[in-house]
Amino acid sequence: MLRALFYGALLTIFALAVAPETIEAPDVMVICDKFNHLAAFVLLAVLCGAAYPNRSVRWQCSFLISYGMLIECVQLFLSYRNFSLFDIAADASGILVYVSFKRTGRFNSLVNKK
């Protein structure tokens, strides 16, 4: 079940990343875009950790950052999207948020509340 959620999230985020943008966003929206990247990768990291609890955090982080880079590489070849190192940095920031909560034990206390 958790793996299905994880793969569903991967597919949904990929579909959103390659879909044409329907409106021209003002410059202020760039900050929101980076926050969306961060939030999406926090979610993906949580789901990846839950779906693959026996995999190391290093493996999980490597997989997710590779996924983020794959998305950006695909966008490089789309005329209506742009490759952005800032997007990769925002993705990595989301992963680091997850790792920092996991390392401090705060993530486990949030997830395992009864």
Side-chain angles (χ1 to χ4, degrees):
M1 177 68 170
L2 288 172
R3 287 188 183 178
L5 282 172
F6 175 58
Y7 289 118
L10 286 174
L11 289 172
T12 301
I13 289 170
F14 187 83
L16 290 170
V18 299
E21 295 175 328
T22 56
I23 58 170
E24 190 67 32
D27 290 338
V28 174
M29 295 303 290
V30 171
I31 295 170
C32 291
D33 175 57
K34 300 313 173 231
F35 179 77
N36 289 342
H37 279 265
L38 184 138
F41 274 78
V42 169
L43 173 67
L44 286 176
V46 168
L47 290 174
C48 185
Y52 292 98
N54 296 328
R55 296 284 188 157
S56 69
V57 172
R58 182 176 296 186
W59 180 91
Q60 295 170 16
C61 293
S62 297
F63 176 83
L64 291 173
I65 200 67
S66 297
Y67 173 73
M69 292 170 67
L70 170 71
I71 288 173
E72 293 304 314
C73 288
V74 169
Q75 288 181 346
L76 180 65
F77 296 102
L78 299 175
S79 62
Y80 51 86
R81 288 292 191 158
N82 298 315
F83 176 91
S84 172
L85 290 175
F86 292 114
D87 288 349
I88 295 171
D91 299 344
S93 297
I95 297 165
L96 289 174
V97 167
Y98 165 75
V99 170
S100 65
F101 272 90
K102 186 166 179 65
R103 297 275 172 160
T104 62
R106 292 181 182 173
F107 175 76
N108 294 336
S109 65
L110 289 173
V111 173
N112 295 326
K113 285 205 174 195
K114 295 181 181 179

